[in-house]
Amino acid sequence: MFESLSDRLSGVFDKLKKRGALSEADISAAMREVRVALLEADVALPVVKDFIAKVSEKSIGHAILKSVTPGQQVIKIVHDELIAMLGSGEDEADSPGGFGGQTLPLLGVPPVPVLMVGLQGSGKTTSTAKIAKRLSEKDHKRVLMASLDTRRPAAQEQLRVLGEQIGIKTLPVIEGQMAVDIARRAMEAARLQGFDVVMLDTAGRMHVDDDLMREVIAVRDQVKPVETLLVADALTGQDAVSVARSFDERLGITGVVLSRMDGDGRGGAALSMRAITGKPIRLIGTGEKPDALEAFHPSRIAGRILG
Ligand code: GDP
C-alpha cells in the first residue's frame, strides 16, 4: 500500500531539494503535483484541498523561503500535516495522552463490551478474533467472544473455530436465539466467569441496511459498548470511508479497524478516514493470520509514505 503515492511524492520532493532557493511559484507548482498525487491515491477531495491549503500556507512564509534548506523545510511541513491528517489526537495509542500502548482504551468495570460492526466480507470476524488474541496475549485480558450473526448459519461456527485455533473462549451457541439475547447472555456469562472483555461480532451486511442496523442498535442499547469498532476494507478506498460515515451517523462508532492493509491498494481509505469521519483508526489488519494485526501509528505511516 502507498507505493505509487510514495513514488510520486519522492519525485516532487527530489526536485524541491535540489533547488537552493524556492519562490512562491515553485511551492505552488509542487503543491499542484502533490494534489494530483493525493487524488490519484484516492484521498477524498475535501481532505486533499484542506491538506494543500495548510501546507501551502505554512510553506510560503518568509522564514521558510529564506531559509538555507527550504526544500527540507517544506518536506517537514508535509510530513507533519500528513500525521495531523492521519490523526495525532489524544486518543491515539502512540500519543503522549493516549491509552498507554494498550490495544484499545477499554475503560469501565469489567466485563467491558466491544461491539464489532461492518459490511459482510470486510474482515469483521477475522478482526474480532485477532483483537481478542492481542487483548489476551499483549494486554493480559480474559476475553470472551460471541457471534451475534444469526443470519448466516456458518458465522457462529466460524467464530468458534477461530476461537479454538487461538485459544479464546466463545459463548456456546443456543439455536434460534436473537442477537440481543445472545449479547445479554454473553455479558451475564462474562460477569459470572470473571472475563474482562466481551467481543461481540455482529451480523455483516451487504450494504447499510435498515433491518440489520436496527438489530445492532438494539444490541448497543442493551450492552452499552465501551468501544464500537467499524471494520472496513482498506482496499475499497473511499467506499470504506463512506461506509464508516454512515455507520457512525446511524450507530455512533468509536473507532475504525482497517483490514487488508497488506494489499496493494492506493491508501485513500487510510488517508481520508480520520479527516472525514473524525474517528480514529485504532488498528490495522495486515494479513489473514490471527497475528496479523497492528496498532495504527500515524507517524509510522507518514514515514512510510515519505520514505
Ligand atoms: P466478515 O464477513 O466481515 O466477517 O469477513 P471475514 O472475517 O470472514 O474475512 C473475509 C476474508 O478476508 C477472509 O478470507 C479473511 O481471511 C480475509 N481477511 C480479513 N482481514 C484481512 C487482512 O487484514 N488481510 C488479508 N490479506 N485478508 C484478510
Side-chain angles (χ1 to χ4, degrees):
M1 197 150 298
F2 304 121
E3 271 92 2
S4 69
L5 174 62
S6 185
D7 287 350
R8 292 285 297 264
L9 292 181
S10 67
V12 180
F13 295 147
D14 283 349
K15 275 190 271 175
L16 278 186
K17 273 190 278 186
K18 281 194 196 116
R19 309 185 63 137
L22 289 180
S23 66
E24 282 195 27
D26 294 329
I27 303 274
S28 301
M31 286 309 124
R32 275 196 295 278
E33 290 183 59
V34 172
R35 180 189 158 96
V36 174
L38 289 170
L39 288 173
E40 283 183 358
D42 199 28
V43 182
L45 181 61
V47 179
V48 176
K49 280 188 174 162
D50 187 49
F51 180 83
I52 297 292
K54 283 184 181 146
V55 174
S56 302
E57 193 196 313
K58 289 183 180 160
S59 303
I60 289 176
H62 199 65
I64 301 281
L65 295 182
K66 289 274 176 292
S67 75
V68 191
T69 53
Q72 293 289 5
Q73 307 251 17
V74 173
I75 296 165
K76 166 87 170 66
I77 293 167
V78 168
H79 178 262
D80 293 349
E81 285 304 323
L82 256 185
I83 293 176
M85 169 171 149
L86 290 163
S88 53
E90 290 296 289
D91 47 359
E92 269 81 28
D94 62 349
S95 77
F99 39 93
Q102 299 268 305
T103 301
L104 292 169
L106 298 179
L107 296 175
V109 181
V112 292
V114 174
L115 197 57
M116 302 293 291
V117 300
L119 297 187
Q120 201 171 311
S122 60
K124 193 162 41 59
T125 301
T126 313
S127 301
T128 301
K130 286 176 177 176
I131 294 173
K133 184 169 193 284
R134 188 176 162 109
L135 286 170
S136 159
E137 289 175 1
K138 190 172 156 291
D139 303 346
H140 309 291
K141 304 278 189 204
R142 292 197 63 214
V143 187
L144 177 69
M145 302 193 291
S147 169
L148 311 186
D149 188 350
T150 54
R151 320 230 163 189
R152 208 160 49 88
Q156 293 181 305
E157 179 62 9
Q158 183 192 353
L159 193 69
R160 189 190 66 75
V161 170
L162 277 172
E164 242 167 45
Q165 281 168 10
I166 60 176
I168 299 287
K169 290 239 163 59
T170 45
L171 186 75
V173 174
I174 297 178
E175 291 295 331
Q177 208 168 33
M178 310 264 288
V180 177
D181 299 321
I182 302 174
R184 187 187 300 123
R185 187 159 60 86
M187 294 308 294
E188 279 166 11
R191 240 170 252 127
L192 286 174
Q193 296 169 39
F195 284 96
D196 301 312
V197 184
V198 180
M199 302 285 306
L200 299 167
D201 182 18
T202 62
R205 53 213 73 216
M206 297 306 286
H207 45 85
V208 181
D209 109 16
D210 286 341
D211 251 15
L212 278 168
M213 201 54 93
R214 268 194 290 276
E215 181 179 289
V216 180
I217 289 171
V219 170
R220 178 200 66 189
D221 295 345
Q222 165 74 36
V223 302
K224 303 193 172 47
V226 296
E227 281 280 286
T228 300
L229 299 177
L230 183 272
V231 181
D233 178 350
L235 295 182
T236 61
Q238 283 195 57
D239 281 349
V241 182
S242 59
V243 166
R245 196 161 53 172
S246 59
F247 269 84
D248 192 34
E249 278 165 9
R250 303 183 64 170
L251 180 70
I253 60 173
T254 55
V256 175
V257 177
L258 266 188
S259 65
R260 299 209 180 82
M261 285 289 282
D262 52 312
D264 58 358
R266 291 176 288 165
L271 291 165
S272 322
M273 191 60 88
R274 178 65 199 242
I276 298 278
T277 65
K279 296 293 151 70
I281 300 174
R282 294 268 192 239
L283 296 152
I284 55 176
T286 54
E288 296 196 53
K289 299 253 162 61
D291 280 326
L293 182 78
E294 294 174 18
F296 181 74
H297 293 294
S299 52
R300 277 187 215 163
I301 300 283
R304 221 164 100 190
I305 293 169
L306 296 179

